Amino acid sequence: MTDTTTRRYARESEEQTKEQSSESEKEHVDCPECGGKLTSDAEHGETVCRECGLVVEEDEIDPGPEWRAFDSREKDKKSRVGAPTTNMMHDKGLSTNIGWQDKDAYGNALSSRQREKMQRLRTWNERFRTRDSKERNLKQALGEIDRMASALGLPENVRETASVIYRRALEDDLLPGRSIEGVATSALYAAARQAGTPRSLDELTNVSRVEKDEIARTYRYVVRELELEIRPADPESYVPRFASDLNLSEEVERRARKLLQNAKEQGVHSGKSPVGLAAAAVYAASLLTNEKVTQSEVSEVANISEVTIRNRYHELLEAEEHIPDR
DNA sequence: ATGGTTTTTACTGCGTC
DNA sequence: GACGCGGTAAAAACCAT
C-alpha cells in the first residue's frame, strides 16, 4: 500500500508553488470589507483582497512598458501602442470592420451609389475575414470556450490561455479526426488547471456538448502532443470553492488548508484524488471549528462519495496526530 | 487485455434528536 | 422514525503496462 504503483495522481514534483511566503505587495492598505491584505495585480488591472476576494479597484492604468523597449529582452512585452490584441477573438481583434452606418467620416449620408459600393465591400471583407477553414474553425471554438468558461465562472485569463492552447492545437494539425467541441473543451480544462483554478472533468462535461470520455481522451492527446506541463491539481485549490459553496467561514478554509499541507508533508496523499482530499479537508475542518456541515452536503458540492470523504478525512486527522507539531 | 489501485454503490448497525 | 455517521464487501472506474 505504498506509493509504488499509485501514479494516478502523481505527486507534485517538489514544491509547486511556494508563493505563499514570498508575497511582495506594494500596497499596504487594508480591505474595507474584512480588513485583510490587499494585493494589486497590474496584469489584470485589479486590486483584490486576498481574504475575501473583494475587488477594490478595477481598470487601473497598466504601468507597463509603453515606448521604451529598446532592449531585445523586452521583445515579449508588447508596447501598449494601438488597440490591445486578444487571443479571444479568432483574428486577435485585428481585422477590419466596416461600419454599418452608411455615413462617411464626417457623418454625412452616403449617396446610393456609394452605399452599394460599401455593401459590396462589407461582403468581401467578411469573406476574407473568415476565409479558410481554420479561421472558421477558430471562430466557433473560441465561441464555445467563452460560453463554457462563463458557465463555469472561470476568469478571463483562463479563457485566454484556453484560446492559446486551442490555437496551438490547430496549428499543429491536431484537429483532424477530433471534434472542435472536444478539443475546445480540453483546452479549457487544461487552461483551468494550469491557472490553478481547476474544474473537474464532471463539471466540464456538464457544460460541454461532448461526452466525458471524449473529453478525457482528447485532453490526454492534446497535452501529450503539445507537451503542456500540467501537474496534478493541488487539493488546496478546490478548498475555497467548496468552502464558499457551503457558506463556511474563512477560519474553516484556513484550517482545511493546514490539514492538507500537513498531509502533504507526510506524503499521505499520493495517488488519491485531489478533489476527495479537498472535500475531506473541508469536512474535517468544519468539525474542528464547530461549524458543522454534513458529509452528504460536502459530497454534494464536491461530487465525491461520502465514503471517500470518510476515508480521506480519517487519514487527514491521523496525519495531524503523527506530527502534532506546528 | 491485464493487474493493481482507488472510488462508488449498496447495505447494515448504532446513537441521537 | 429520520438523520448523521461509520464500516464493509463487492462492483466499477481508472491508469500503466
Side-chain angles (χ1 to χ4, degrees):
Chain A
M1 236 271 301
T2 41
D3 51 66
T4 47
T5 45
T6 62
R7 254 145 283 167
R8 188 172 175 191
Y9 305 101
R11 310 157 166 269
E12 30 279 72
S13 49
E14 315 307 283
E15 323 299 305
Q16 55 174 8
T17 35
K18 270 286 177 165
E19 86 244 277
Q20 306 273 93
S21 49
S22 66
E23 46 204 19
S24 58
E25 296 99 320
K26 42 187 174 174
E27 303 245 7
H28 284 298
V29 197
D30 283 344
C31 172
E33 191 74 18
C34 68
K37 259 192 182 166
L38 291 183
T39 309
S40 84
D41 181 349
E43 184 113 331
H44 304 118
E46 292 177 345
T47 296
V48 205
C49 172
R50 173 173 317 239
E51 298 293 327
C52 64
L54 179 76
V55 177
V56 182
E57 265 181 280
E58 271 182 281
D59 295 327
E60 296 172 59
I61 293 175
D62 180 0
E66 179 131 30
W67 308 101
R68 304 172 73 90
F70 301 123
D71 191 334
S72 66
R73 279 175 307 178
E74 309 237 356
K75 65 168 184 264
D76 281 345
K77 311 209 167 197
K78 291 176 189 134
S79 80
R80 290 193 289 107
V81 182
T85 63
T86 168
N87 277 303
M88 293 166 64
M89 276 182 238
H90 78 289
D91 51 13
K92 304 198 184 190
L94 286 176
S95 61
T96 312
N97 263 308
I98 300 178
W100 51 271
Q101 301 104 327
D102 284 313
K103 299 278 176 66
D104 66 14
Y106 300 101
N108 300 322
L110 260 44
S111 71
S112 68
R113 192 128 130 227
Q114 278 180 312
R115 269 208 301 276
E116 268 179 39
K117 190 170 165 187
M118 292 310 293
Q119 195 51 57
R120 281 200 302 279
L121 277 173
R122 270 195 281 271
T123 306
W124 279 103
N125 190 45
E126 190 60 27
R127 282 180 194 163
F128 277 118
R129 195 140 58 115
T130 55
R131 188 174 9 157
D132 53 29
S133 63
K134 288 197 175 177
E135 290 292 295
R136 263 180 272 121
N137 190 326
L138 254 183
K139 210 172 180 177
Q140 188 190 339
L142 297 186
E144 277 305 311
I145 287 175
D146 215 40
R147 182 183 62 79
M148 293 187 288
S150 307
L152 293 172
L154 287 168
E156 184 120 329
N157 60 325
V158 174
R159 300 179 206 190
E160 284 275 356
T161 313
S163 304
V164 174
I165 294 174
Y166 189 88
R167 229 170 249 286
R168 287 189 52 201
L170 195 58
E171 275 161 24
D172 289 10
D173 284 325
L174 262 41
L175 264 295
R178 263 157 280 272
S179 70
I180 294 176
E181 273 278 348
V183 180
T185 313
S186 303
L188 185 60
Y189 179 57
R193 288 184 61 167
Q194 272 190 332
T197 51
R199 293 291 181 273
S200 73
L201 219 43
D202 288 312
E203 291 175 283
L204 263 298
T205 311
N206 283 336
V207 298
S208 176
R209 294 184 224 271
V210 183
E211 293 305 307
K212 188 177 172 182
D213 288 345
E214 191 184 338
I215 300 174
R217 194 156 31 83
T218 313
Y219 168 72
R220 274 193 291 271
Y221 178 73
V222 169
V223 168
R224 184 157 41 83
E225 290 300 313
L226 262 39
E227 289 169 359
L228 299 175
E229 282 186 29
I230 301 186
R231 37 185 84 261
D234 183 352
E236 280 188 57
S237 51
Y238 290 101
V239 171
R241 195 150 50 91
F242 293 165
S244 88
D245 281 353
L246 292 166
N247 292 317
L248 291 169
S249 71
E250 295 140 36
E251 181 57 30
V252 179
E253 204 176 312
R254 243 191 299 282
R255 202 77 186 74
R257 284 207 147 88
K258 251 177 94 180
L259 284 167
L260 287 172
Q261 282 161 11
N262 231 309
K264 203 182 295 184
E265 275 162 33
Q266 296 185 47
V268 174
H269 79 316
S270 177
K272 307 285 169 41
S273 143
V275 192
L277 250 348
V282 170
Y283 175 69
S286 85
L287 289 187
L288 294 171
T289 42
N290 291 324
E291 283 189 51
K292 209 155 164 200
V293 287
T294 67
Q295 292 177 357
S296 68
E297 284 173 305
V298 181
S299 83
E300 186 84 10
V301 303
N303 273 308
I304 278 290
S305 79
E306 299 175 37
V307 181
T308 307
I309 294 178
R310 282 202 279 276
N311 293 334
R312 286 302 90 74
Y313 108 86
H314 283 146
E315 292 169 9
L316 287 176
L317 294 182
E318 208 172 310
E320 191 81 341
E321 279 183 27
H322 283 325
I323 298 190
D325 204 20
R326 220 153 49 84

